[in-house]
Amino acid sequence: MSYQVLARKWRPKSFATLVGQEHVVRALTHALDQNRLHHAYLLTGTRGVGKTTLARIMAKALNCEAGVSSTPCGVCGACTEIDGGRFIDYIELDAASNRGVDDMTQLLERATYAPTSGRYKVYVIDEVHQLSGHAFNAMLKTLEEPPEHVKFILATTDPQKIPVTVLSRCLQFNLKQMPLTHIVDHLSRVLEAEGVAFEPAALRHLAKGAAGSMRDALSLLDQAIAHGAGKVEDEGVRAMLGTVGDEHLFALLDGLVAQDVQAMLEVAKLMDARSLSFDGGLQELATLFHRIALAQFAPEALLDDAERSRLMPYAQALDAEYLQLAYQIAIHGRDELSLAPDDYAGFVMTLLRLHAFGPERAGAIIPAPRSAAAAPLRQPAPLAAAAASVPRPGAVPPAPTSASAAKPSAAACTSDADWHGLAGDLAAQQGSEAS
């Protein structure tokens, strides 16, 4: 028998084995058990989170020979044929290649006929947002009042492009991205069942690379097994993905906390020698700053105990305000890589910026507030001369001379506007004398 990829081999076949979508599973199981079935469902979410898988499980629950239930048997003819893609009353359509009004008209004409072997006809339209406007209009009436034996399950990654007239006729379920811990746990179970040796740290890199998609994680796992000759090792996975290892990121943090520029530059040289992605390095560094900020303000948000214990020393060493600034420096440095002479120069300048705005240096350039007993501030020369010309209380003003008679009286200048006018007159007079 030919090899079957892990993403297909380990596709969930029941609600109990579906990972990470508990809120959707709860609603659908209650509806099936109480026989409160809607005629149209809309499943939204990014790629690889279980939209088509949920549609197939729903089709089995509706057509299982044991009856409509949230726990299909999985062994009857209907269940096995749906799993194998051979059930005649389960129709999957790709809206990208069947997007016209003629395609939709043919589908709706076939929907009027009774099921051939099942209890319901289940139509699954994937990427439904790619249907044309006329195709959407053609399906409105049937979608609102379909035959009793027809169920529609629409799936999309972009629900904003679906007309509101279609949205109002469907029950909408938003499938969320898979949490990192869920992906790591599922990959661990798959590898244990497959009998493949692995390192837990390698699975975290695969889960990060999957970006919330379980299908992407399983595809990367297939690639990692082939790359490691039957083993999944941390170093091999990092080399395969080209990702920046944690040792580089924490070495940068150590240099930043210690204000050791040379140590930070050595990490940059090592990354350049290994041809690691500087864009990915800044992305991971910004993510690390984000996790450290969480450790400062909400430690319970870090579900991984090992991660929390490793980040807490940095959360205590780095100032909260500086962490916010460092996060912005990292994300802006990533945006500016395309403008830099090369990626290495842009990455190094970002590191130098992090060092230059470090908390110790920032505190050194901000002058301390002066106390009331401190020496008075030096006044500008024109204002100082004007202040000196104001007579002290009780003093007898000198007789005006011909030179001083032309000058305005400072004693009469009591408002801010008068003082500014006096300063301007004095400056003008000094200019004329100099000329």
Side-chain angles (χ1 to χ4, degrees):
M1 185 178 178
S2 61
Y3 176 74
Q4 190 176 24
V5 298
L6 296 177
R8 293 184 59 189
K9 182 178 180 179
W10 291 94
R11 181 193 289 270
K13 293 180 170 57
S14 65
F15 289 121
T17 57
L18 195 66
V19 178
Q21 308 297 344
E22 291 80 8
H23 62 297
V24 180
V25 170
R26 183 183 303 111
L28 292 179
T29 53
H30 291 170
L32 289 166
D33 292 337
Q34 299 173 11
N35 199 25
R36 302 178 65 88
L37 302 176
H38 203 271
H39 57 265
Y41 299 89
L42 176 62
L43 306 178
T44 67
T46 187
R47 78 272 179 267
V49 294
K51 298 186 296 296
T52 307
T53 299
L54 267 174
R56 292 187 178 182
I57 297 174
M58 277 289 293
K60 289 193 296 183
L62 293 171
N63 288 291
C64 181
E65 296 177 2
V68 177
S69 169
S70 62
T71 55
C73 66
V75 295
C76 66
C79 291
T80 55
E81 288 178 5
I82 291 174
D83 286 334
R86 302 185 304 271
F87 193 63
I88 193 171
D89 293 320
Y90 174 74
I91 302 98
E92 283 189 17
L93 295 176
D94 180 18
S97 55
N98 299 275
R99 65 189 309 269
V101 64
D102 294 335
D103 300 316
M104 182 56 61
T105 302
Q106 293 178 9
L107 182 149
L108 298 177
E109 288 177 353
R110 294 193 298 267
T112 58
Y113 298 102
T116 302
S117 61
R119 191 177 294 108
Y120 292 96
K121 271 189 173 181
V122 180
Y123 287 91
V124 178
I125 306 178
D126 198 12
E127 298 299 335
V128 69
H129 66 273
Q130 298 195 30
L131 289 177
S132 65
H134 293 298
F136 275 123
N137 292 333
M139 70 182 301
L140 287 179
K141 184 60 178 178
T142 305
L143 193 62
E144 183 176 5
E145 298 178 356
E148 293 184 357
H149 59 268
V150 173
K151 301 295 181 185
F152 288 100
I153 302 179
L154 313 180
T156 180
T157 56
D158 196 356
Q160 288 78 15
K161 294 182 179 179
I162 299 178
V164 66
T165 51
V166 174
L167 295 176
S168 64
R169 289 164 166 82
C170 302
L171 284 185
Q172 183 173 349
F173 295 99
N174 184 25
L175 278 66
K176 58 187 180 182
Q177 289 187 333
M178 301 290 177
L180 185 70
T181 54
H182 284 46
I183 296 178
V184 172
D185 293 341
H186 186 64
L187 295 183
S188 300
R189 290 192 295 268
V190 169
L191 289 174
E192 290 172 358
E194 293 285 330
V196 177
F198 66 94
E199 295 179 1
L203 301 186
R204 292 186 60 84
H205 292 297
L206 293 175
K208 289 180 180 179
S213 170
M214 188 64 77
R215 183 176 61 227
D216 288 6
L218 290 170
S219 299
L220 289 174
L221 183 60
D222 254 329
Q223 183 180 354
I225 294 174
H227 185 273
K231 295 183 293 184
V232 181
E233 297 176 341
D234 181 44
E235 185 176 356
V237 168
R238 286 193 285 108
M240 180 191 77
L241 297 176
T243 56
V244 180
D246 290 345
E247 68 275 8
H248 296 93
L249 298 175
F250 285 101
L252 288 175
L253 279 182
D254 292 337
L256 187 61
V257 171
Q259 291 291 308
D260 188 350
V261 182
Q262 190 60 37
M264 299 170 69
L265 295 181
E266 288 297 328
V267 176
K269 291 179 182 178
L270 183 59
M271 291 174 57
D272 188 37
R274 297 184 58 184
S275 300
L276 298 179
S277 170
F278 291 111
D279 180 83
L282 289 177
Q283 181 182 8
E284 293 295 330
L285 191 60
T287 302
L288 194 55
F289 285 138
H290 161 250
R291 306 298 286 179
I292 295 175
L294 281 180
Q296 282 185 337
F297 294 103
E300 64 279 0
L302 301 177
L303 302 180
D304 191 343
D305 294 336
E307 181 187 18
R308 188 188 306 115
S309 61
R310 188 169 190 182
L311 294 183
M312 283 308 296
Y314 298 101
Q316 297 170 359
L318 294 173
D319 187 64
E321 290 82 359
Y322 175 70
L323 269 179
Q324 302 297 321
L325 176 63
Y327 176 80
Q328 286 196 344
I329 290 175
I331 60 177
H332 286 299
R334 187 184 176 199
D335 287 339
E336 295 169 359
L337 281 182
S338 59
L339 305 177
D342 53 73
D343 286 355
Y344 176 76
F347 184 76
V348 168
M349 285 303 296
T350 303
L351 296 184
L352 295 178
R353 198 175 304 161
L354 287 170
H355 169 73
F357 287 94
E360 289 83 0
R361 288 181 171 271
I365 63 173
I366 299 176
R370 299 172 62 90
S371 62
L377 296 174
R378 294 181 60 187
Q379 298 180 352
L383 292 181
S389 64
V390 179
R392 293 187 301 273
V396 179
T401 62
S402 60
S404 61
K407 297 182 181 179
S409 174
C413 301
T414 58
S415 66
D416 292 340
D418 294 334
W419 275 107
H420 289 299
L422 175 62
D425 293 339
L426 291 175
Q429 183 179 357
Q430 289 177 358
S432 62
E433 290 176 355
S435 62

